[in-house]
Amino acid sequence: MIHSLFLINSSGDIFLEKHWKSVVSRSVCDYFFEAQERATEAENVPPVIPTPHHYLLSVYRHKIFFVAVIQTEVPPLFVIEFLHRVVDTFQDYFGVCSEPVIKDNVVVVYEVLEEMLDNGFPLATESNILKELIKPPTILRTVVNTITGSTNVGDQLPTGQLSVVPWRRTGVKYTNNEAYFDVIEEIDAIIDKSGSTVAAEIQGVIDACVKLTGMPDLTLSFMNPRLLDDVSFHPCVRFKRWESERILSFIPPDGNFRLLSYHVSAQNLVAIPVYVKHNISFRDSSSLGRFEITVGPKQTMGKTIEGVIVTSQMPRGVLNMSLTPSQGAHTFDPVTKMLSWDVGKINPQKLPSLKGTMSLQAGTSKPDENPTINLQFKIQQLAISGLKVNRLDMYGEKYKPFKGIKYMTKAGKFQVRT
């Protein structure tokens, strides 16, 4: 299925390549570079690029393009999902997935990729199994390998491959037994100039960190499971039980994994947590314009909005801006025309505002349209969709584990039109 994999950094250099079948020339990436030049942003490069003899399928994560080369037609999502698994595996192995880290651990990277694909077809993509096949790098192991000339390849078959639970290795032991779940929701929204919602949706995930001895069987139930209608599960979840009872029943992998991801797009279910009051005006005859924005909380159930950053791409005619923030710091780049305001926390008693004037090029007509405002923010201990975990139970083992649930909402592509 997958012939080759190329890793390309943001400046367009191929810094790693892996071939499973015949060697594919690097020149095939020229088609990718052409598409990259046409796209204004890295995220806008088409995920599927047809060429005369190949298809190039890519994902962009951690400022790296992972480009797979295939010669026959396959379902594109099959390949894209595999590429995401590769990124997640690197992150799990090395802590971070970045160009310097991949170059430093190039031997382990090749060993892992060799196990993940067999003759171009996915073989072992579960982190638990891979870690038994290829030991994750540690300082001590690296020193020993350097002295003895040995590798990180394990000397026996992974136990999980031989069991009915292939994602979990047998004989797991911990002194502290704990299970933590993070419910993280990302809200994408477009708000029009009157404050009405044009479009809004929530992408949510439940990430788990489970360190439990033996072979525990967990059930996770929700207060309002009907919210979850568009859901993608980890293979460990028993789907029939979810369909009949709306309860998540599973034997978890060992360590970190994504239990499920979900999508809420019904307009009535998406609460907008922040609002922006704006007054941005350009006068026809004057070379000055007025700029005034205020950010405030809305439907946050009393939780604090923090990490707020406001950015806006100003029109070309704006030469400079003279602004005064009531809190935080702002910058304006006269070359790129990008305004950035680091607000920090929002205090509901004293709302943060940014006011001042804009200097426009003399003699030019006023801009055709007002700039759009982009927001970034975080709200701890709140899932904006209203999703709430009811209880977590464990069967099959005698000990009592330590359990914890955390919620977080953050902005995805959150845009306010002015």
Side-chain angles (χ1 to χ4, degrees):
M1 182 190 72
I2 294 175
H3 265 66
S4 303
L5 174 68
F6 293 97
L7 268 58
I8 302 171
N9 62 22
S10 45
S11 52
D13 301 321
I14 300 168
F15 66 90
L16 187 130
E17 58 184 284
K18 170 84 177 99
H19 307 279
W20 282 273
K21 297 188 176 182
S22 54
V23 174
V24 176
S25 168
R26 282 186 171 202
S27 60
V28 76
C29 292
D30 291 347
Y31 296 97
F32 176 80
F33 296 136
E34 283 171 23
Q36 194 182 0
E37 274 178 32
R38 284 195 296 272
T40 49
E41 292 176 29
E43 288 87 354
N44 296 341
V45 176
V48 181
I49 300 167
T51 75
H53 303 291
H54 304 90
Y55 292 95
L56 304 180
L57 287 92
S58 65
V59 299
Y60 180 69
R61 285 178 64 182
H62 307 290
K63 298 183 179 175
I64 300 170
F65 288 99
F66 292 76
V67 183
V69 180
I70 56 173
Q71 283 186 334
T72 52
E73 269 197 54
V74 295
L77 287 177
F78 195 38
V79 181
I80 286 167
E81 173 61 25
F82 174 77
L83 292 176
H84 281 298
R85 283 288 177 95
V86 169
V87 183
D88 293 341
T89 303
F90 287 172
Q91 204 162 0
D92 200 20
Y93 260 74
F94 312 126
V96 287
C97 179
S98 66
E99 184 184 348
V101 169
I102 290 171
K103 284 178 174 174
D104 288 347
N105 297 282
V106 71
V107 174
V108 178
V109 166
Y110 277 116
E111 287 169 347
V112 167
L113 289 173
E114 196 60 57
E115 294 299 337
M116 289 185 82
L117 275 192
D118 179 37
N119 198 31
F121 290 89
L123 177 66
T125 57
E126 280 296 331
S127 212
N128 276 239
I129 293 165
L130 283 166
K131 279 181 178 172
E132 284 191 80
L133 286 164
I134 313 293
K135 302 280 188 289
T138 60
I139 294 167
L140 181 64
R141 204 172 280 141
T142 308
V143 171
V144 170
N145 289 352
T146 308
I147 295 165
T148 61
S150 54
T151 67
N152 286 26
V153 178
D155 52 4
Q156 56 190 42
L157 268 173
T159 50
Q161 289 286 64
L162 311 172
S163 75
V164 290
V165 190
W167 52 84
R168 187 177 179 87
R169 59 197 173 93
T170 53
V172 181
K173 282 194 174 70
Y174 286 102
T175 46
N176 294 331
N177 292 288
E178 50 197 25
Y180 298 109
F181 293 87
D182 289 333
V183 180
I184 302 165
E185 295 192 339
E186 201 168 90
I187 179 167
D188 298 332
I190 298 172
I191 313 295
D192 70 13
K193 59 174 74 175
S194 63
S196 308
T197 306
V198 177
E201 56 183 39
I202 294 166
Q203 315 285 348
V205 296
I206 299 180
D207 285 336
C209 176
V210 176
K211 295 181 177 178
L212 298 174
T213 303
M215 197 65 79
D217 201 327
L218 305 180
T219 61
L220 189 70
S221 61
F222 299 95
M223 299 271 202
N224 39 8
R226 296 287 156 205
L227 278 173
L228 301 172
D229 57 344
D230 185 0
V231 193
S232 164
F233 297 108
H234 186 278
C236 69
V237 174
R238 298 180 178 101
F239 188 61
K240 280 191 174 166
R241 176 116 190 243
W242 169 259
E243 276 200 310
S244 59
E245 300 174 50
R246 281 292 189 262
I247 287 175
L248 289 176
S249 171
F250 57 98
I251 293 172
D254 181 36
N256 297 303
F257 66 99
R258 179 153 292 175
L259 181 62
L260 68 96
S261 49
Y262 58 94
H263 179 228
V264 180
S265 59
Q267 291 282 329
N268 56 340
L269 290 175
V270 181
I272 305 296
V274 294
Y275 69 86
V276 178
K277 280 185 180 169
H278 47 80
N279 177 17
I280 301 171
S281 57
F282 303 98
R283 293 193 202 92
D284 267 329
S285 52
S286 172
S287 62
L288 282 179
R290 182 101 196 112
F291 186 93
E292 197 174 309
I293 55 173
T294 305
V295 186
K298 175 184 173 188
Q299 294 178 306
T300 58
M301 290 61 144
K303 305 282 188 235
T304 306
I305 302 174
E306 52 191 49
V308 181
I309 298 173
V310 179
T311 56
S312 183
Q313 180 70 54
M314 304 308 289
R316 270 192 214 149
V318 177
L319 294 177
N320 216 332
M321 302 183 80
S322 174
L323 305 172
T324 309
S326 66
Q327 72 174 69
H330 79 287
T331 56
F332 175 70
D333 189 331
V335 179
T336 59
K337 312 294 183 195
M338 180 61 77
L339 170 69
S340 179
W341 176 30
D342 191 340
V343 182
K345 278 186 186 176
I346 294 181
N347 177 1
Q349 273 74 47
K350 192 183 176 207
L351 296 179
S353 63
L354 183 65
K355 298 176 183 179
T357 56
M358 298 176 279
S359 308
L360 302 170
Q361 217 163 334
T364 54
S365 57
K366 74 171 190 175
D368 296 334
E369 53 188 41
N370 273 8
T372 52
I373 295 166
N374 297 299
L375 265 86
Q376 292 173 39
F377 56 81
K378 279 192 301 207
I379 309 168
Q380 302 286 357
Q381 293 308 327
L382 173 72
I384 199 72
S385 66
L387 185 72
K388 240 187 170 47
V389 172
N390 182 23
R391 57 182 297 164
L392 173 69
D393 296 304
M394 186 183 79
Y395 306 95
E397 296 291 340
K398 298 279 193 294
Y399 57 84
K400 270 197 156 181
F402 186 81
K403 301 175 280 192
I405 311 277
K406 277 200 321 196
Y407 300 89
M408 189 171 84
T409 297
K410 57 182 181 177
K413 291 192 172 176
F414 197 97
Q415 194 178 82
V416 180
R417 294 171 179 168
T418 64

